[in-house]
Every structure is written in structure tokens, then in C-alpha cells.
């Protein structure tokens, strides 16, 4: 080793030790007579000190050559600092330097290597290798490293076998978003990169592997939006001989373990909520339950009073924002503007202030008298000082809009701390969704998702009403994972294909080898997958998954550091037997 | 859970427990009056027993429906067996069955699900999901699972950070063997799949990550040969502020840890040997040192006696095969045939039998008298009863051929037990190799490999003689891993490019962003990568890496189970802006 210690480990107990450190020059302070250098590596910062009167000219000449980010090796004696710095673990000591060597020079970096940098996003991505030197980015990657180890430790402890599934697989007919890979050896043919290891993990259950996991890259050639990556990492799991509750318990266990190990945070009981309940009371299938502010449906008390907007609405629904009756005109206008934004799309907002004196002031006083509004307040469980906010219109659309408003109010009122975590399972999703274009049902998840045990019969009589034996794990309003119990029974599978309007032949064509495999003794099984990038971001308290990926791509799917994707030579294409159109 | 226990865990202590098991029917034995079922899952086999006189007709009817590989759930009482089976851990007990349900039927599998199967290679690959049910395959995957966990535990314990590098990267000009991936969003442009994370791991060292590892898939679109896979797994590592010896020690540690943890095997000291020594004494840069039988160069005593074959040879070299002077004519002819095979390519084999009575009998008695042969025997350290085998010709070619013969004799004599492991480092490889076609030097490893400290000066004066600061780990004659100390110094890098005949511009073009990164304070660093598939195969005692890959491809790069690669639709190609030639 070129060092005896790293830059994060020396303490007051190490005084008088002879040490050698290596690292990057964070800062040089020359106060005339004394020079200090902050030397940084992954592990921390240690202060080097040079007393000019006792230091050789040769060493001083070297010190004077140093610039930011120079790489040096330096030896000396650990001494106690006069002015201690209790903000860093090495703050009680410094190194009285006897020798210093420049291991490598550095050009001036294009942005400052500090917690708060002056580099913009694009610049930092181009020089990502310098961005990673910054504490916040490195800490994000350290958190990710720890979460990788903890996840595997837990699953290994639960008898899950880590099995690597192939990356060069087959494009499926519905796989319009597959990345494909031309084969040189088999010209005219293509591999596809997996969107998930779904079929392989089900095959592994047929293989008797019993419990499988993998932390694995998946690929999706989607039109990119903010915070989507064409390659992303998934914790992928599958179990045999289990019921839904076994899966929920096992993976609640995983999440609690991760919170405990990585953040020393004790997660509360993981709630369970049906999809219908979530939609009705939160307007959202991934409710943030750090705060209540539940939806109250108001049709029965709000309609029939001559307010046409409400009378014509499929749904009138509101939330009670506690202690906000003192909102100003300006604040209420801002909320109206918010719900009218195109991405939210409400036409307007009705408010009712429940004043401290027991009176009501609303934006619909023309249609509703104090008695009417008192009934509303009672229904919404409001007390004097509260503010009621109501939206109306088509049911789904209105729920979506009110959900956005609820989240905004939660944020405004500080009810969504990023240091508090509330997890819940959303259960009983619809199995099928009706597609107007093709006039048939589509599988909401995929066609191997099992109905709930109670709804098996309805699959032939009332397919639209069947619930899926599926589950999503939602934390703080973010979907972190999801999965389902799979169909392993041939007869049931046939009914499912019937409901989807598939002929046996079509099914065979589309799901061929998995269907074949299921003929040879498939066990009852189910599984789940977690978005690992998102999980790390949530644990790290960030909104952006990019902060937790070492070398992310930008919103156009480009890696600006290595300039990828890029053109390739005609020769290379010729070897593959393909050419560019036009 | 659909079971209370798995099929591998019940013991004599569990007698009288009520249990429920799930699994696959391995075998049904109906002896009239009594029926036994061997029930199998990943964890083992448990025997179910039915006494016909005490069992309901309904249950017996179910039992009579069962075929091989049916999936069942069965409840009953654990009882002691009359006839114990000490070959399996559950062999002291059986289940007196009270209830049985068929969870899924199975078609008759296309081959037997037994340790020794009747299924040929192609058939087993097509039904790989059934092949994995067989113990030897499942055990291979279990070994792989354990090695994955042990590897990460060791490296995590040594402060290595696991960092995922991107899969969608950039094709490099020399990357003729890159798989490329057309980008839909950026038409006419391509990503490439990584042949290794080499540049990214060096960038991470520039980032100050200090110690990086990853167990990662890599891709190479090579013409396939036996036991090569287009996608393969690598343990990839890099360290900063280290010398060669730090790397050797760290990764000797890893290998010893793996042997201890996975096989409970204590690996001896890992030897170190120069490339030149290996070539001279083993004719091979990955010598199998489980046995000696070292090469002895015989030019000085074998030339000048009128035997033209020897006199014209660049090298005359032999091995002493102990205690084999009694080899028959037939056996010696077989050895001659062996060395004459085209892939070995020797013209002939000279033998000398050192008889027990002290006399010599050789295939070259015409040219060499007893005195001459006595000198040979002394030089080769032979004793009466030994057999000397000599080859001659062009140096490299002759060494290769004798290396093959040495390995064959080692195998014949039982000196290459697969339960014994001998590891060594090969060091001091040539840095450059002369390419006759282009009349210039090529980098043997890659152009960032550092010369050894001693040879720095020679890079300008005698580049062909410079040794690389590189190392391969060889176990039992198989290359398991390799790496090098990298060049981090600009001046040295320039000298290296000069030796390779690159202009600064060419270098920039080919290694652009890595060269850029190196301007910003690259630390001294080096690394290594291990072939994980090969490592697992070696630990499992198999020659074939395919046994340790869940879903391998065949020698044409095809996955015959999913039928991949395969054609894709014209529409899909059109969306990507590419078409097939012709």
C-alpha cells in the first residue's frame, strides 16, 4: 500500500504515530509561516500542516506547486490540533508533515468538488467521474452498496437462491419496447434485452428452485420522461408453495430489515389496503399515508341544490384541510390555479372556510346556505378553523385531481417529512381492464396473474369484476414494488385466455415455451419485483434516481460522458448484415 | 405456506409431528398392500407411505392417478421407518399419510429426472427447466449461489464498494466483437454491450472510489468455440494507492476464502512464477503445478551427434516420466500418435527407457550410445525405471507440444486429482508483442497496462524486452483471472503510445474520455477480473462452465429452450430505422 492509513481514520489516540496518507488536495491555506492542506479520500479529510520555519525548501517548493485535486502522498507524525474541528471525525489531529510527493497533477476541475457545487447538471454528467468525488454523490453510491449487501443477506437468510438469468433473450410479439441485438453468428436474427426476468423466474419455479432472487439490470426502450432510465435495476424474486400472505410477510420483512440496517429506522406495521379503498379515499393507487386528509364523497349532500357544476358531476368529493380556514384570497387563488394546470385539469375549486366563530364562508354561498354547509362540515368531520376543498366531475379524473391537491396540501402543511416512512400494501387490483380501441379486455399485470381465490368463478361470468391476486408495495406515496400470485393451473389459464379473447393457438404462439413448461408440473407460485434505483433514492431522501446511479443517462437516453449512443462504422454493420434506412 | 416443512428437513426427532409437505413425485412403489412415494423438492426427498388396509378409497384413488413429476401436497404423521435408508438425511423417517392433493399434473418428462439421466445434451437444453430439477444441475447452481455470496462478503469486508456500471455503453473502434444495440430514440445511433467494465472501473478510481467490485455480465460476439458463452460473468475489481503485491495479497485472500467457505479446503501458499520460467519449465503460461515433470532443455547434450532431427532443431527438450520404463511398444506408439495429432503437431517423439538394470533403450540408439544416454539421464535427474520423452523443433511450437504431452502423462499417472488445488500467480508477462502483419507492437493486455518498475527505462530503448506489471491467477492449469497495474502517469502513457506507434491524436480518438479523465488527478491504481463461470466449474469439479449457468447458450450462441436469437418483425426494425441486408 502507498499509505499506512486512509484520510478518515486517524484520531487523538493515534498521536505520535508515523503515518503515510494518500489522497486529493481539497484545499491549501497559506497563512504565512504556516501552510495547511486538507487531504481528501473516500474515507474522509485529514489536515496536513507545514511550519515553514521547520520545513525544507524542497518540500515547500512541492507544496507551492499543488493545485486543487492534485494527488499526493505525504508522510509525517500525527499531532494534536490546537484548534479542533468537531465537524469531522479526524478534527482533533493533524499531520506534521515530513515528506510529500506529487503522485499526479490535475487540471483545474470544471466545477468545485464541494458538497454544494457550482457545476450545472449537464456539466456534472459530462464529468461524472469528478462529480462522484463530491460527498453527496459518493454517499449515495455508498448507501446503494450497503443496500445491495443487506438485500442479499436477508434473502440468502430466507433460503432464496441467487440465480443469474440471461441478458440475451428473445423479443416477444408484444415487446415493442424491447432493445434488440443483432446476432453476427446467426445473421438476420436478433436477441432482445430483458424488460424483466419474468418468464425465467417462473421457469425456475417449474425447475423446483423454490425461492429465487436476483438484483438485476432490466431494459426498456421507452420514450423517456424525467427520471426514467433505459436501463434500471430490479430486486427480482419468486417463491413456490406459498399464498399471498406468505409473500407479503416475507417482503415486509425485507423492507423492515433494510430500513433497520441501512437507516436504523424502525418501520411501523405495513398496512394493507384494497385498490378500491385507495381510489375512493386517496384518489390514487399509491396513497401517501403519512397523513390522513381522506376523501369524503359529497354527492348526497352537495347535489340537487341548483349548483349545476355539482349537479352534472359524476362525483363531488372533498378533503378537510385542518386549521386552514385563515387562508387568504391569494392563497386560495393559487390553489385554484394549481388544480387548473393542464396536467391536473380540474375546471375549478370549491372551498368552504369553517370560521372560528362557527360561521361558513364558501365560494358557492350563492347555492348553499349556512345550514347546508354545516351538513358538509359534519360529513367531513370538520371543526371550526378548518378549510374544506371540493372538486367535481367525472369520477376518475376528479379523484386524480383531488389526489394531487391532497398531496400538495400535505406538503404545504409539512405533513410529508422525508425522515418519516409509511409503507402499505395495495391489494385486490382489477385483473382486467377494458380496452375501448380493441373492444376487449387486457391483463392489467400480465396474463399469468391469478384472480383472487374468491373471484375464480366470476372469470367466466363477470370478468370485469374479477380482482387480481396482485399486490403493490407503496412507501410515502411511491410505488416501490409489485407482483402477483401466478396462475399454475391449466384450466384456469385457459379461462384467463378466454377472457382475454385469445385462441389456444394465439396463446401458444405468444407464450410458447412457458406454456410448454407449465405442462410438466408447475408448482403454485408467485413473486415480486422492486425498483432498486427508486428504493435507494427513497432511502437517501432524494426525488431523483439519478443521484443513486454511478453513470446515469440523461432524459434523451444519452450518456454524455462517453457520448453514447453513437454511430458505428459501415463495416461493423455489414458484418452484422444490417444497414441504416435512408 | 402450503407446507409445514420441506422435503429435506424431517428427522427422527420429529416423530409424531403432524406435517404437510409439498413437492414432486419422484417415484411410486406399489408393493400390494403398501404404497410408497418418494416426494422431492429442492431440499431433499421424503418418503410417504400408505397402508392400503388403513387408507380411504378416495386417497388411494388419488394415489393411483399419480405419475412422475406430479406436484402434490400431502399431510400426515412422521413415523419411524422399519427399513432405514442411511443414504439420505431423511432416511430414518417416513410420513404416514392422512391426506393428499394433486396441485398439478405433469406430462411424462422427455428424460428421467435422476442424477444419471437418459437425456442427451440437446434435449436437456431444450427442457432446461426440467434438467435443473436434477440434483447435479441444482447443486451446481447452489454452489454458484454460495460463491456469489462469499465473494461479496469477502470484498465488502475489505472495503470494496459494489458499483453497477452501465450495460448500454459505446462501441470502441477496436470493438469488432462488440454486440451493438440500435437506439430507437436516437435513430442511426447504437449502444454497445460491454466486453468488460474496464474503462468504467478505471474512471471510478479517478472518482476516488478507492476500491470497487462488481459481479457482472459481460458480452463478446466471438466465433464460438466449445465452452465459450456470448454472455459470461466476471468478478471485476479495481484498487487505488496500491502496488502489485497488495493486489496479489488481497486476491489470494479472496481465493483462499472461497476455497475455505465453499469447499472447506485449505489452499496452500499461492506460488509466484515469472512468465519466462513458466514457458521454459512447463511450456505454458498456465502451468498445472499439481505435479512436477519439469522440462529439461537438452540442446547441449543432444546435439552434434549426427541425429539430424535434433541437430537442426532450435530446441531439444524433454520430461522425465518417473517409473514408466516398462511402457510397452503399444503404449509408446500411442504417445507418438498423440503428439502427432494436428492440434499438437509434433513430428515425432523420442523416448529413452532407463531400465531397472541400469541400461538404456531408446528410439535413437543408432545415434546415441549408452554413455550418451547416461548423460541425458543425469541431466534429467532420472533413476532406473524412469522413462524420458523428448521433442524437438522450433522453440515455441515444441514447448506447446511438450506441454500437452506433460499434461497427458500427468493425467495418465493420476497426478491431476480434481480434489487437489494448486494456485499460482504468473508474473512479468511481456508488455508488447510484435505483430508481423502491421509491423508494429501491440499491447498484450491493453495500452493502459504499466511496465514493471524495473523496466520503465527500456520502454524507449528496447520496448520488446519490457515486462508488464501484469498478473494471471492460474489454478490447476486453468487461467482463473488476470489483471494489471495501470499507467496513471501522463508521461509514461505517452511513451507507451509512442512504443505502440500511436500519434497523440489517434490515442485521443480511441481512448478519448478516459484520457480526459486522467488529466484530473488519476491515482495510482490497478485491478483484476476473474472468470466467474470458470471459477464455479473448477470448484464444482467440472470441465464445463455450462453446468454452472442456469440457462446457457449452445456452441452456436443459441438458446434452444426459448429459440433465441430469432427473427423480429419488419415493423420492429422499421421503428429502429434499420433493415436487413439482401
Amino acid at each position: 500500500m502507498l499509505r499506512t492509513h486512509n484520510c478518515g481514520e486517524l484520531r487523538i489516540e493515534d498521536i505520535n504515530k508515523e503515518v503515510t496518507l494518500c489522497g486529493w488536495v481539497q484545499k491549501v491555506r497559506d497563512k504565512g509561516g504556516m501552510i495547511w492542506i486538507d487531504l481528501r479520500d473516500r474515507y474522509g479529510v485529514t489536515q496536513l500542516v507545514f511550519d515553514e520555519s521547520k520545513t525544507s525548501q524542497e518540500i515547500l517548493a512541492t507544496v507551492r506547486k499543488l493545485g486543487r485535486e492534485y494527488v499526493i502522498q505525504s508522510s509525517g507524525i500525527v499531532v494534536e490540533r490546537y484548534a479542533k474541528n468537531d465537524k469531522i471525525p479526524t478534527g482533533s489531529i493533524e499531520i506534521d508533515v515530513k515528506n510529500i510527493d506529487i503522485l499526479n497533477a490535475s487540471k483545474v476541475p470544471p466545477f468545485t468538488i464541494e458538497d454544494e457545487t457550482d457545476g450545472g447538471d449537464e456539466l456534472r454528467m459530462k464529468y461524472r467521474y469528478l462529480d462522484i468525488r463530491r460527498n453527496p454523490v459518493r454517499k449515495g453510491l455508498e448507501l446503494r452498496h450497503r443496500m445491495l449487501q443487506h438485500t442479499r443477506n436477508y434473502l440468502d437468510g430466507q433460503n432464496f437462491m441467487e440465480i443469474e438469468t440471461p441478458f440475451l433473450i428473445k423479443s416477444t410479439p408484444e415487446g415493442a419496447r424491447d432493445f434488440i441485438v443483432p446476432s453476427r453468428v446467426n445473421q438476420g436474427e436478433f436477441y432482445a434485452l430483458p424488460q424483466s426476468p419474468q418468464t425465467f423466474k417462473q421457469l425456475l419455479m417449474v425447475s423446483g428452485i423454490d425461492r429465487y432472487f436476483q438484483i438485476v439490470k432490466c431494459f426498456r426502450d421507452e420514450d423517456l420522461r424525467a427520471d426514467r432510465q433505459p436501463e434500471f435495476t430490479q430486486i427480482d424474486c419468486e417463491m413456490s408453495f406459498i399464498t399471498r400472505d406468505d409473500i407479503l410477510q416475507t417482503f415486509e420483512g425485507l423492507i423492515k430489515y433494510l430500513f433497520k440496517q441501512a437507516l436504523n429506522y424502525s418501520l411501523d406495521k405495513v398496512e394493507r389496503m384494497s385498490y378500491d379503498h385507495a381510489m375512493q379515499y386517496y384518489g390514487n393507487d399509491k396513497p401517501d399515508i403519512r397523513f390522513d386528509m381522506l376523501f369524503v364523497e359529497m354527492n348526497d349532500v352537495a347535489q340537487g341544490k341548483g349548483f349545476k357544476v355539482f349537479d352534472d358531476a359524476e362525483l363531488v368529493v372533498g378533503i378537510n384541510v385542518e386549521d386552514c380556514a385563515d387562508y387568504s384570497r391569494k392563497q386560495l387563488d393559487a390553489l385554484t390555479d394549481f388544480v387548473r394546470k393542464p396536467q391536473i385539469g380540474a375546471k375549478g375549486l370549491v372551498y368552504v372556510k369553517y370560521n372560528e366563530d362557527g360561521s361558513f364562508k364558501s365560494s358557492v354561498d350563492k347555492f348553499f346556505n349556512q345550514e347546508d354547509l354545516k351538513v358538509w362540515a359534519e360529513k367531513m368531520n370538520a371543526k371550526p378553523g378548518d378549510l374544506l376543498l371540493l372538486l367535481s366531475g367525472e369520477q376518475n379524473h376528479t379523484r386524480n385531481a383531488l389526489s394531487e391537491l391532497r398531496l400538495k396540501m400535505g406538503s404545504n402543511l409539512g405533513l410529508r417529512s422525508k425522515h418519516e416512512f409509511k409503507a402499505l400494501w395495495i391489494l385486490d387490483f382489477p385483473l382486467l381492464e377494458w380496452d375501448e380501441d380493441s373492444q376487449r379486455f387486457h391483463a392489467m399485470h400480465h396474463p399469468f396473474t391469478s384472480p383472487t381465490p374468491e373471484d375464480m368463478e366470476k372469470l367466466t361470468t363477470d370478468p370485469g369484476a374479477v380482482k387480481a391476486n396482485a399486490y403493490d408495495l407503496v412507501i410515502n406515496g411511491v410505488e416501490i414494488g409489485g407482483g402477483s400470485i401466478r396462475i399454475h393451473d391449466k384450466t384456469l389459464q385457459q379461462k384467463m385466455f378466454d377472457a382475454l379473447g385469445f385462441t389456444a393457438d394465439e396463446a401458444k404462439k405468444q407464450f410458447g415455451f412457458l406454456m410448454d413448461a407449465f405442462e410438466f408440473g408447475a408448482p403454485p407460485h408467485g413473486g415480486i419485483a422492486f425498483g432498486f434505483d427508486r428504493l435507494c433514492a427513497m432511502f437517501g431522501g432524494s426525488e431523483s434516481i439519478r443521484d443513486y446511479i454511478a453513470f446515469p443517462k440523461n432524459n434523451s437516453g444519452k450518456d454524455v460522458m462517453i457520448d453514447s449512443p453513437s454511430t458505428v462504422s459501415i463495416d461493423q454493420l455489414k458484418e452484422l448484415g444490417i444497414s441504416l434506412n435512408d
Side-chain angles (χ1 to χ4, degrees), chain A:
Chain A
M1 302 291 298
L2 305 186
R3 63 190 173 204
T4 57
H5 297 76
N6 65 48
C7 295
E9 65 181 313
L10 292 170
R11 297 288 181 274
I12 197 86
E13 304 84 74
D14 297 304
I15 279 176
N16 290 328
K17 277 191 190 156
E18 257 198 81
V19 300
T20 303
L21 301 183
C22 291
W24 286 261
V25 172
Q26 178 78 32
K27 206 184 286 176
V28 181
R29 275 164 298 150
D30 188 339
K31 300 269 175 173
M34 297 294 275
I35 304 173
W36 289 275
I37 297 176
D38 281 351
L39 189 66
R40 186 198 72 234
D41 67 10
R42 168 181 142 195
Y43 310 94
V45 171
T46 299
Q47 180 164 291
L48 311 182
V49 61
F50 304 80
D51 180 339
E52 289 190 35
S53 65
K54 298 182 194 155
T55 305
S56 78
Q57 284 311 309
E58 198 190 338
I59 288 182
L60 288 175
T62 303
V63 171
R64 295 214 165 91
K65 267 191 252 170
L66 298 177
R68 281 201 287 134
E69 302 307 316
Y70 270 51
V71 186
I72 63 172
Q73 181 187 43
S74 187
S75 307
I77 309 292
V78 183
V79 296
E80 187 170 0
R81 276 207 213 183
Y82 291 110
K84 297 201 172 49
N85 176 352
D86 57 11
K87 286 189 195 121
I88 58 172
T90 61
S92 308
I93 58 96
E94 59 191 358
I95 311 300
D96 182 7
V97 175
K98 302 297 166 214
N99 202 15
I100 182 167
D101 282 302
I102 296 178
L103 297 175
N104 220 341
S106 173
K107 292 205 293 195
V108 176
F111 49 84
T112 54
I113 311 292
E114 304 276 354
D115 290 8
E116 300 289 334
T117 179
D118 57 356
D121 207 47
E122 197 73 357
L123 193 66
R124 290 192 295 107
M125 285 303 146
K126 184 165 162 57
Y127 295 93
R128 182 64 163 175
Y129 46 86
L130 297 179
D131 200 28
I132 294 174
R133 286 190 195 160
R134 295 172 51 239
N135 284 322
V137 182
R138 197 199 62 243
K139 281 188 179 145
L141 297 178
E142 281 170 350
L143 174 66
R144 187 177 180 114
H145 164 76
R146 292 252 57 84
M147 296 206 24
L148 286 168
Q149 315 315 315
H150 294 317
T151 301
R152 297 200 198 89
N153 285 346
Y154 177 84
L155 293 171
D156 180 39
Q158 299 278 324
N159 266 333
F160 283 79
M161 261 172 80
E162 180 175 3
I163 295 186
E164 296 151 77
T165 53
F167 280 76
L168 297 172
I169 65 166
K170 183 182 170 134
S171 193
T172 50
E174 82 285 34
R177 293 302 171 256
D178 285 343
F179 282 106
I180 62 171
V181 183
S183 164
R184 190 176 52 87
V185 180
N186 305 278
Q187 291 221 347
E189 298 187 336
F190 295 80
Y191 301 101
L193 300 179
Q195 294 188 32
S196 91
Q198 183 67 32
T199 35
F200 288 97
K201 68 177 176 173
Q202 293 196 242
L203 287 175
L204 287 170
M205 295 304 104
V206 177
S207 299
I209 287 301
D210 205 78
R211 295 180 170 207
Y212 143 90
F213 86 99
Q214 193 182 189
I215 304 181
V216 64
K217 275 281 175 78
C218 301
F219 304 87
R220 212 166 289 164
D221 190 8
E222 283 183 316
D223 294 315
L224 293 151
R225 1 178 198 136
D227 227 30
R228 279 272 175 124
Q229 292 280 320
E231 52 177 306
F232 53 97
T233 302
Q234 199 165 287
I235 306 174
D236 193 54
C237 307
E238 197 81 6
M239 303 172 79
S240 291
F241 301 120
I242 43 73
T243 63
R244 185 192 72 182
D245 281 6
D246 299 316
I247 298 219
L248 301 192
Q249 273 168 34
T250 303
F251 292 99
E252 276 172 38
L254 169 62
I255 292 296
K256 284 183 174 171
Y257 181 83
L258 287 179
F259 271 109
K260 195 70 202 165
Q261 298 292 319
L263 299 183
N264 194 25
Y265 184 92
S266 299
L267 191 69
D268 284 351
K269 184 175 176 330
V270 179
E271 304 289 336
R272 298 183 184 190
M273 188 185 292
S274 75
Y275 171 87
D276 287 344
H277 184 95
M279 293 309 291
Q280 183 174 349
Y281 293 100
Y282 298 88
N284 194 319
D285 64 359
K286 29 185 195 287
D288 184 344
I289 58 167
R290 278 173 295 183
F291 64 108
D292 285 334
M293 214 185 279
L294 298 192
F295 287 16
V296 182
E297 299 192 346
M298 304 290 286
N299 292 40
D300 56 345
V301 295
Q303 290 182 324
K305 300 278 180 172
F307 181 43
K308 201 166 154 29
V309 172
F310 279 3
D311 290 350
D312 292 350
E314 184 182 359
L315 178 68
V316 181
V317 60
I319 49 176
N320 171 16
V321 187
E322 291 183 25
D323 300 324
C324 287
D326 56 353
Y327 260 40
S328 67
R329 182 80 227 169
K330 200 172 148 196
Q331 284 175 301
L332 291 166
D333 285 349
L335 293 181
T336 306
D337 290 346
F338 173 79
V339 299
R340 278 183 174 155
K341 285 197 299 181
Q343 60 270 42
I344 297 182
K347 294 223 176 58
L349 173 69
V350 168
Y351 71 80
V352 180
K353 293 179 171 187
Y354 193 165
N355 296 318
E356 293 289 355
D357 64 6
S359 70
F360 296 93
K361 172 77 193 94
S362 84
S363 55
V364 287
D365 284 349
K366 229 197 292 184
F367 303 98
F368 302 93
N369 61 28
Q370 294 283 311
E371 269 316 298
D372 294 334
L373 297 176
K374 172 117 186 137
V375 173
W376 290 18
E378 274 163 15
K379 193 170 170 79
M380 294 178 79
N381 217 2
K383 58 182 192 317
D386 291 351
L387 172 70
L388 314 181
L389 299 175
L390 287 83
L391 295 178
S392 63
E394 186 272 324
Q395 174 173 289
N396 289 340
H397 188 250
T398 305
R399 283 176 170 175
N400 284 344
L402 190 61
S403 169
E404 294 295 333
L405 182 62
R406 174 181 173 272
L407 292 174
K408 186 184 171 56
M409 296 315 297
S411 296
N412 286 358
L413 299 177
L415 304 173
R416 304 176 71 195
S417 159
K418 68 179 185 183
H419 302 296
E420 183 193 9
F421 299 93
K422 291 276 188 190
L424 82 164
W425 292 105
I426 301 294
L427 305 171
D428 300 333
F429 288 84
L431 181 68
L432 305 167
E433 57 187 346
W434 183 254
D435 183 61
E436 284 296 336
D437 290 344
S438 56
Q439 286 289 307
R440 59 194 236 180
F441 284 109
H442 282 201
M444 256 188 85
H445 215 78
H446 58 67
F448 297 98
T449 301
S450 176
T452 55
E454 313 84 74
D455 284 0
M456 293 289 176
E457 294 312 310
K458 283 195 224 154
L459 196 54
T460 33
T461 57
D462 185 9
V466 176
K467 301 295 184 193
N469 206 346
Y471 29 80
D472 275 359
L473 183 69
V474 173
I475 305 180
N476 289 6
V478 177
E479 184 198 324
I480 287 295
S484 66
I485 300 296
R486 328 298 182 184
I487 299 175
H488 68 283
D489 176 79
K490 223 163 66 175
T491 324
L492 180 59
Q493 187 68 60
Q494 194 52 58
K495 281 189 199 157
M496 179 70 170
F497 285 136
D498 290 347
L500 292 169
F502 280 26
T503 65
D505 257 17
E506 280 172 331
K508 190 97 188 169
K509 201 161 177 181
Q510 201 156 345
F511 305 105
F513 65 91
L514 188 54
M515 300 281 294
D516 284 350
F518 277 21
E519 301 269 0
F520 291 100
H525 64 288
I528 195 165
F530 296 92
F532 188 66
D533 305 305
R534 176 84 44 217
L535 192 64
C536 291
M538 161 158 297
F539 271 62
S542 164
E543 304 265 300
S544 166
I545 62 173
R546 268 202 257 166
D547 297 347
Y548 297 84
I549 297 172
F551 299 103
K553 294 184 175 53
N554 70 13
N555 285 344
S556 323
K558 282 204 166 283
D559 182 330
V560 294
M561 179 185 73
I562 63 173
D563 183 28
S564 163
S566 56
T567 55
V568 299
S569 72
I570 300 290
D571 284 352
Q572 206 169 343
L573 294 180
K574 201 179 280 174
E575 261 218 319
L576 295 167
I578 58 174
S579 23
L580 298 180
N581 293 342
D582 297 6

